[in-house]
Amino acid sequence: MVGEMLITVRFFASYADSLGLARTQLALDSGARVSDVLASVAQLPGATAIPKIPRVAVNHVFADIDTILQTGDEVAFIPPVAGG
Amino acid sequence: MVGEMLITVRFFASYADSLGLARTQLALDSGARVSDVLASVAQLPGATAIPKIPRVAVNHVFADIDTILQTGDEVAFIPPVAGG
Amino acid sequence: MRAAVVTNPIDVGSLILEVADDLHGATAIFIGTVRSTNEGREVREIEYTAYEEMAEREMSVILAEAGRAYEGAVLVAEHRIGLLAVGEASIAIAAAHGRRACALDALRYVIDEMKSRVPIWKREVYADGSQSWVDPTRVTAT
Amino acid sequence: MRAAVVTNPIDVGSLILEVADDLHGATAIFIGTVRSTNEGREVREIEYTAYEEMAEREMSVILAEAGRAYEGAVLVAEHRIGLLAVGEASIAIAAAHGRRACALDALRYVIDEMKSRVPIWKREVYADGSQSWVDPTRVTAT
């Protein structure tokens, strides 16, 4: 499949509870950005719990929605943190 | 001895070392102030180690040189503190 | 400089020993423990969950930042996850430095940044059995 | 609120337990230890002496001030006197509060005030056997 890449998407805490989903995979066209992942995720049932512009990490580093993805990247949706 | 009072005077650390003295008693006229104690102490051998206006405590509380003393009071000369 | 997400109880004494150093006269420590009440509700226990790989990475980054800002600081931080009872420590940070102001400032930097950046979440379980995820960004009435 | 001048080694763990409280989620601790060098000289040990009656009184006053400034703070402080080896703790302070900023601020207040007001002195004994009283008010070249 030329031009397709596989992205792992992870959800935590309240987001995972609302979606009933902690981890999934998306196939996106190459050159896709974090914003494309957001658009796909917004279609999922329970996605209303996730804000329009959520905090997102790519490969364990906070990233913005314009970040261009590579195949194999892990995109995580980060609810408001409450450690400490 | 009408009008006389006995004051305990204490020295610590470098002051005690310089004076070769940790504790003494002074007989002062009633109505005497901390400044009168300073004047007496200034006559002691080794008193040059004590600044003209040292930090002083009366009965375990920091006091200024105008403080009027009562018989039985304890006047302490406090070198620069270095706790912690 | 060691940052870890742990599942066993935190041993504060061993963290203090870990940063101890004969050249550093000042050690500052922060311990966060589970409180029995929050916003007027009686808390029975708290479940902490983490995005573990990222949490440890982010904690390490924060310690490195503090080490640069307060040169010479020796730092260690642990955050516990899983189910914690009231009074148990969820987080402990130790900072050693030659100057006490630097040890205290480094400590405050690390705890403040950890609270805002490390992907860890907590779900409070109340005395009545109900539970909810804590969202510190939500303004509350109390 | 307990302030003490002690001669035995300070047990930091017991101070932490002493301020622990299910309502207070934040505990901040400061430990001061004997450093192996000071102003470029190798220190072998330090002798701490105190005007004991006044030192305990002044420490208590400082804790009470911090308790008023950071309402609800639970505080304990110990200062050790006598001959201390390198690495041993001369001072430990623990502050617990419901809010971490208050615990940290109360801790800093207590250590800063203790350093400037409590009548305790230290004589450093150097590797070459010489010794001198430490005067923090004297400006030094280093």
Side-chain angles (χ1 to χ4, degrees), chain C residues 15-98:
Chain C
L15 298 192
I16 294 173
L17 287 177
E18 190 171 336
V19 299
D21 175 333
D22 287 350
L23 295 171
H24 290 142
T27 304
I29 300 119
F30 179 84
I31 307 168
T33 50
V34 175
R35 285 187 298 170
S36 56
T37 60
N38 189 24
E39 294 175 11
R41 300 191 70 179
E42 191 184 337
V43 174
R44 200 168 63 195
E45 56 192 6
I46 293 185
E47 185 196 352
Y48 282 92
T49 69
Y51 181 12
E52 286 190 49
E53 312 90 295
M54 182 175 171
E56 288 203 339
R57 187 198 165 281
E58 198 67 19
M59 286 165 68
S60 295
V61 168
I62 291 166
L63 296 190
E65 289 168 356
R68 275 194 299 276
Y70 306 99
E71 214 188 312
V74 181
L75 298 150
V76 60
E78 287 190 358
H79 200 300
R80 188 175 167 195
I81 57 171
L83 212 53
L84 274 70
V86 169
E88 286 197 287
S90 53
I91 187 171
I93 302 159
H97 198 282

Side-chain angles (χ1 to χ4, degrees), chain B residues 10 12-14 17 23 55 57 59-62 74-84, chain D residues 48 51 53-54 57-58 79 90-91 115-123 133-137:
Chain B
R10 295 182 67 178
F12 296 92
S14 57
D17 280 1
R23 180 193 290 261
R55 216 166 172 189
N59 300 336
H60 313 144
V61 180
F62 286 113
E74 178 169 298
V75 177
F77 286 68
I78 310 289
V81 303
Chain D
Y48 281 92
Y51 181 13
E53 312 91 297
M54 180 173 171
R57 186 196 166 281
E58 196 68 18
H79 200 300
S90 53
I91 187 171
K115 285 263 185 185
S116 74
R117 289 161 52 184
V118 175
I120 293 182
W121 302 274
K122 64 179 171 188
R123 192 202 318 248
W133 292 103
V134 175
D135 179 355
T137 65

Side-chain angles (χ1 to χ4, degrees), chain C residues 102-115:
Chain C
C102 290
L104 292 165
D105 287 344
L107 179 69
R108 184 181 295 247
Y109 180 83
V110 172
I111 178 63
D112 285 352
E113 291 299 309
M114 280 187 65
K115 285 262 187 186

Side-chain angles (χ1 to χ4, degrees), chain A:
Chain A
M1 275 194 278
V2 175
E4 271 220 344
M5 58 185 187
L6 225 52
I7 302 296
T8 298
V9 185
R10 296 184 65 177
F11 305 102
F12 297 91
S14 57
Y15 294 175
D17 280 2
S18 293
L19 295 165
L21 186 70
R23 178 194 291 261
T24 188
Q25 286 204 312
L26 290 179
L28 296 175
D29 289 336
S30 65
R33 296 167 189 261
V34 167
S35 52
D36 297 310
V37 175
L38 299 191
S40 281
V41 166
Q43 310 303 317
L44 297 174
T48 49
I50 302 177
K52 281 224 157 48
I53 314 266
R55 216 166 172 191
V56 165
V58 175
N59 299 336
H60 313 144
V61 180
F62 286 114
D64 63 40
I65 60 167
D66 293 329
T67 304
I68 296 175
L69 300 170
Q70 309 291 333
T71 192
D73 279 355
E74 178 169 297
V75 175
F77 285 68
I78 310 288
V81 302

